[in-house]
Amino acid sequence: MLTSDYDPACLPDLLPLYYRRLFPYSQYFRWLSYGGASKNYFQNREFSFTLKDDIYVRYQSFSTQSELEKEMQKMNPYKIDIGAVYSHRPSQHNTVKSGTFQALEKELVFDIDMTDYDDVRSCCSAADICSKCWTLMTIAIRILDRALRDDFGFQHLLWVYSGRRGVHCWVCDEAARKLSVAARSAVAEYLSLVKGGEETVKKVVLSDPIHPFISQSLIVVEHYFPQYAVVEQDLLSSKASVDKVLSLVPDDILHYKISVKELLNIYQTEKNPMKRWEQLCRYAVQQKRTSSKKGAQYFDKEIMLQYCYPRLDVNVSKGVNHLLKSPFSVHPKTGRISVPIDLKNLDKFDPFEVPTISLICEELDKPLTAEEEDVKDKESETESGERRKIRDYKHTSLAKYVKLFDHFLDAMARSRKGEMLKKSGLFSLDKHDPPIHIDDDPAKCVNLLSHVSLSHYRHKDDAVFIRFSLD
Amino acid sequence: MASARRGSEQCDGEERGQARRGVNMLKMVENLGVSYVKTTEQYRKKLHSEFSGLGFPHKEEADDSNSSKNQAGPTEYEKRRKDHISHFILRLAYCQTEDLRRWFIQQEMDLFRYRFSELPSKYKTDFLHKNNLKYDTMSVEEKNHLKDQLINSSYSVSGSTVAEQDFYKVPFQDALDLVRTRKVYLKAGYAYIPHQDIVAIVLNDFRTRLSKALALTARSLPAVQSDERLQPLLNHLSHAYVGQDYSIQKNIGKVSLEQIDPLSAKSFPLCMRQLHKALRENHHLRHGGRMQYGLFLKGIGLTLDQAMQFWRSEFVKGKVDADKFDKAYAYSIRHMFGKEGKRTDYTPYSCMKVILSNPPSQGDFHGCPFRHSDPELLKQKLQSYKLSPGGIMQILDLVKGMHYQLACQKYFELTHNIDDAGFSLNHPNQYFMESQKLLGGGKEVKKEVEVSQRGPENTPSNGPDVPSTRQKSSTQAVDDMGDLDSYFIDE
Ligand code: SF4
Ligand SMILES: [Zn+2]
């Protein structure tokens, strides 16, 4: 049996191995190049490394995949952050005229951190998480993923476990990467329902009409709430937690005092938390019928949202030049790899099953099965080091996460190809579609060609097109 | 407090006079925005009468063909010309710092909203077309299909009006204010906007253009600043709004660390008192709080060394050891003092900034208590500070009416035992200075209050004849530029 026990003291020894044999460079490069559609997209991207002793180096950039590999293997960063695509190479930011070095594009990102839920978790606090409160992350992902797709029309969302106590989302659609700061903050605010700091008790207030986005989010919350909040978090079992819940019932509504008193009376005899919750909901229903006051009638929903709705760090999403921890970076405290999350099996995702760097490094030394050995022999004679590296991660627990990443990249490549064809008008059978448009940028044309195989050419002007673009 | 400011008596030349009046107008727009809810009839009427008084254009048509030259008073065309001149001069004056840009854009937006809403429907449509804002409308089937969603997405739509109204299908990026506040239905990246909310799109476009224009203007600043005739005028104009520039530390080194505790109870506005208390209790503040409080402290005169000592001694009592502090926090404090990174000298936050940007979330203590606290908690807090029940009522009423700065001013008056504060509050550091002035704190905290800023008529926020002592060097302006775009569009 392999042990996944991770000791932070070993990190300096494990990192070189990880960066030499396991880190998925080719996928990583493929991701950040985005099909090479815009010039220097990868080259102008900022990376920042956190080295041993919290030494922080910003504005790293690399011109090729192999430069990135070499540099990472040399520096062995404890943590990697990804920043924006700039107007110039970030590594040369000091040499360009002040004011002209600017962040141009970046994925739209979201950062959800369990510490922001401290006032509504009873199981853990601060950086600790357990399988109970992890449900909060599941809810967050479901709600945000739906809204980003259905409401905002984004398609390429990469959800990543942060390695410790939260999740990140990278929205990679071209439209998302091009969003202005103002647009990013508008999206983040649209998605934020829980408002207020330490000086606010009631953090969710609903008013008529309930926006479709909120109704959709409520469906998700209502699904998880009874089991998660009432049963697992003991929402209505102790006096303190009951008081806390009842403090969220607005105090200026009709019959409030009577209701709460009655509720407390019932709670004297009724100890079952689920039944207690049902009682509370019954009062909410009654309230809806008798109260003419606007807004006061949703307190059951407001309670559910305050306890379960995703809490976003708006500032992370807002900035184009804000840095966020990179996928496949290692978390120095837990040793866990920041891996993509499979939304198809979201409810089964268990952060404690995510491989640690010590586990996968150990797996590297694990003797190969006879079969694997066989394949290896054959391949290693003919293939380059690059191929060997691919196989290296393939027989560790990292493999399935890299595969997820591959799927994500494939889907992005497919829609790029679709877009490209649509734009070129090359294969459009509809006469009304725009005719072939030869781009003035030869690089783009070549690029376009590389995305279509010759057998697809149907246009009689294809020959012209090809000659033109290769000129 | 909404009285129109008197024009400058010393204007020499048309530009100066126009620009001066422009500031007065925007200042008036701001005051009205603080005193009235922006969508009410009352607000509209008040604006209307103020405009006429200031001689600014407020008619949709500038038809100068039938205006005779001998007519008494300026023609509509003439008013417009002046309006344009003043607007462009103000752009120059107000592109200089983030705070100024924020203020300028906010007031211009309110002004624009008012003017647009006054247009007859026909002109509104014309306006959209002239500015290339053409969008598809929803078909009847589409409307029927999405009826419920449309009704639940906007206050201005009901079952019966869905059929009658035109709905525009607009990329969500063009309707950010509606998206932000969830006042519109969103589907697959498009916002479906009822005709009567169309002003939001126009405003969005206006804001974008004005932001870009200010950024561009800012880039040409160094050239402008080298013109000796212009620079004093521009500083003078922008000065008229922000009043004091609280990053200029006249009081530097006049406060000792021991004084902070007593001062926080006597002379800090609630926002800073709250931050101070949270810091002492938790030995930590999150980023938003460190910025808001740290810059305020810098503004009241802490030196970099003092600030460093202050923060370190508090943080090490908590979970942070000295080593970690030096690595993780010291940088950002030096940064505040312009000693790191782009070396921008950060300005203490104004009330507007505290109230409007970066609202506090879980674990945060920053923001403005009048805006960001539960009224119930605010009430308890005020009670614990021994305010009279009547006073508390008055404050809570102002809060309810969303007049946060007025509420704060009322708090000032109550805690300093005066009837009329005699200034209009727009900055936490202003609160502090005024408090010290009243408490005769001049002995402990010496401030050089500019003489011309005294008196109820001639307050820091609107004195027209404040001598402009501060000359921003052009190098610093260039430094500002580095951060400009990232902060600016942000807004
Ligand atoms: S009004 Fe201004 S000074 Fe007063 S508490 Fe709010 S932000 Fe602070
Ligand atoms: Zn837990």
Side-chain angles (χ1 to χ4, degrees), chain A residues 123-124 130 133:
Chain A
C123 50
C124 330
C130 69
C133 50

Side-chain angles (χ1 to χ4, degrees), chain B residues 269-272 292 350-352 354-355 367-371 404-405 408-409 425-428 431:
Chain B
L270 269 192
C271 53
M272 301 304 167
Q292 183 178 325
S350 64
C351 293
M352 268 263 285
V354 171
I355 291 172
C368 167
F370 298 100
R371 168 69 185 85
Y404 311 114
Q405 281 154 270
C408 185
Q409 202 165 322
L425 175 72
N426 58 32
H427 204 293
Y431 184 110

Side-chain angles (χ1 to χ4, degrees), chain A residues 150-151 190 192 198 201 203 211, chain B residues 182 184 188-189 362-363 374 485:
Chain A
D150 297 355
D151 300 2
Y190 176 91
S192 301
E198 292 297 311
V201 175
K203 293 182 177 158
H211 191 275
Chain B
R182 241 180 270 117
V184 68
Q362 190 56 40
D374 273 351
D485 286 284

Side-chain angles (χ1 to χ4, degrees), chain A residues 53-54 59 98-99 102 115-117 119 149-154 175 179-183 185-187 189-193 195-203 207-214 251 311 315 318 321, chain B residues 148-155 172-173 176 178-180 182-190 207 219 274 286 319 324 327 342 358 360-365 372-374 376-377 381 478-479 481-482 485-486 489-490:
Chain A
D53 297 326
D54 286 333
Y59 297 123
S98 159
Q102 277 159 3
T115 47
D116 291 331
Y117 292 85
D119 60 327
R149 288 175 199 276
D150 297 355
D151 300 2
F152 290 97
F154 298 127
L179 287 178
S180 68
V181 174
S185 80
V187 175
E189 278 174 46
Y190 176 91
L191 296 172
S192 301
L193 269 187
K195 303 239 162 100
E198 292 297 311
E199 299 290 315
T200 321
V201 175
K202 192 163 173 59
K203 293 182 177 158
S207 61
D208 268 328
I210 303 266
H211 191 275
F213 162 75
I214 298 177
D251 66 0
R311 301 178 170 205
N315 289 320
K318 241 171 56 179
N321 50 7
Chain B
D148 288 346
Q149 284 92 326
L150 293 173
I151 293 171
N152 285 332
S153 300
S154 172
Y155 299 109
F172 83 87
Q173 291 92 331
L176 294 178
L178 293 175
V179 170
R180 187 192 313 279
R182 241 180 270 117
K183 286 203 180 104
V184 68
Y185 178 57
L186 267 190
K187 191 176 173 229
Y190 287 93
R207 178 210 291 269
R219 250 171 236 155
Q274 171 172 308
R286 307 211 326 173
K319 286 194 207 134
K324 170 111 198 265
K327 266 183 203 141
K342 300 236 168 62
N358 191 24
S361 59
Q362 190 56 40
D364 284 333
F365 291 90
H372 297 115
S373 284
D374 273 351
E376 190 53 34
L377 286 188
K381 183 174 281 176
V478 172
D479 261 351
M481 302 305 32
D485 286 284
S486 48
I489 311 202
D490 191 345

Side-chain angles (χ1 to χ4, degrees), chain A residues 12-295:
Chain A
D13 300 330
L14 297 172
L15 282 172
L17 196 58
Y18 178 64
Y19 290 127
R20 202 154 36 80
R21 296 182 58 190
L22 291 164
F23 191 89
Y25 292 103
S26 69
Q27 285 88 347
Y28 199 69
F29 180 75
R30 185 182 176 207
W31 171 34
L32 295 173
S33 307
Y34 288 100
S38 355
K39 242 166 127 199
N40 290 336
Y41 214 73
F42 180 82
Q43 288 73 6
N44 289 355
R45 172 78 72 161
E46 178 191 358
F47 296 87
S48 88
F49 292 162
T50 309
L51 308 178
K52 200 166 176 294
D53 297 326
D54 286 333
I55 294 166
Y56 192 51
V57 249
R58 275 197 73 172
Y59 297 123
Q60 304 284 295
S61 64
F62 312 100
S63 39
T64 59
Q65 181 186 330
S66 78
E67 197 184 315
L68 168 81
E69 280 181 41
K70 268 195 218 112
E71 212 52 33
M72 278 175 45
Q73 288 166 8
K74 197 173 92 200
M75 317 248 289
N76 291 307
Y78 276 42
K79 184 168 157 250
I80 305 164
D81 286 295
I82 300 181
V85 177
Y86 282 83
S87 51
H88 303 75
R89 309 235 160 160
S91 57
Q92 297 166 3
H93 77 283
N94 276 328
T95 65
V96 298
K97 208 172 121 253
S98 159
T100 54
F101 179 70
Q102 277 159 3
L104 302 180
E105 293 188 14
K106 202 190 66 185
E107 294 76 10
L108 171 64
V109 294
F110 296 94
D111 178 9
I112 305 155
D113 190 318
M114 199 72 94
T115 47
D116 291 331
Y117 292 85
D118 273 2
D119 60 327
V120 290
R121 298 191 286 166
S122 62
C123 50
C124 330
S125 69
D128 294 329
I129 58 164
C130 69
S131 56
K132 280 188 197 167
C133 50
W134 188 257
T135 309
L136 289 167
M137 292 295 140
T138 308
I139 297 174
I141 295 175
R142 290 226 185 279
I143 288 177
L144 299 180
D145 194 73
R146 187 214 60 79
L148 288 166
R149 288 175 199 276
D150 297 355
D151 300 2
F152 290 97
F154 298 127
Q155 295 173 37
H156 302 292
L157 277 61
L158 182 66
W159 286 96
V160 182
Y161 172 53
S162 74
R164 193 178 194 189
R165 58 190 185 202
V167 294
H168 298 155
C169 177
W170 298 77
V171 187
C172 300
D173 298 58
E174 189 181 352
R177 285 180 272 131
K178 289 186 165 17
L179 287 178
S180 68
V181 174
R184 282 164 207 260
S185 80
V187 175
E189 278 174 46
Y190 176 91
L191 296 172
S192 301
L193 269 187
V194 183
K195 303 239 162 100
E198 292 297 311
E199 299 290 315
T200 321
V201 175
K202 192 163 173 59
K203 293 182 177 158
V204 180
V205 179
L206 299 181
S207 61
D208 268 328
I210 303 266
H211 191 275
F213 162 75
I214 298 177
S215 316
Q216 290 292 325
S217 305
L218 268 168
I219 295 176
V220 178
V221 169
E222 278 164 358
H223 171 77
Y224 288 96
F225 186 81
Q227 177 62 25
Y228 160 71
V230 182
V231 177
E232 288 171 12
Q233 296 286 343
D234 295 328
L235 190 71
L236 290 169
S237 46
S238 73
K239 165 120 179 46
S241 60
V242 168
D243 283 350
K244 208 166 149 194
V245 171
L246 294 185
S247 74
L248 298 177
V249 179
D251 66 0
D252 54 348
I253 62 173
L254 216 62
H255 303 317
Y256 160 76
K257 293 282 183 275
I258 303 162
S259 303
V260 169
K261 232 186 250 153
E262 277 177 41
L263 264 183
L264 285 171
N265 269 341
I266 297 171
Y267 286 3
Q268 293 284 322
T269 48
E270 181 56 77
K271 299 285 184 213
N272 178 319
M274 198 64 100
K275 292 256 165 58
R276 284 181 167 189
W277 174 249
E278 283 162 14
Q279 284 294 345
L280 190 145
C281 293
R282 217 162 291 153
Y283 275 101
V285 173
Q286 213 167 305
Q287 195 63 52
K288 258 164 244 171
R289 243 183 279 123
T290 52
S291 168
S292 55
K293 246 197 176 136
K294 257 200 168 175

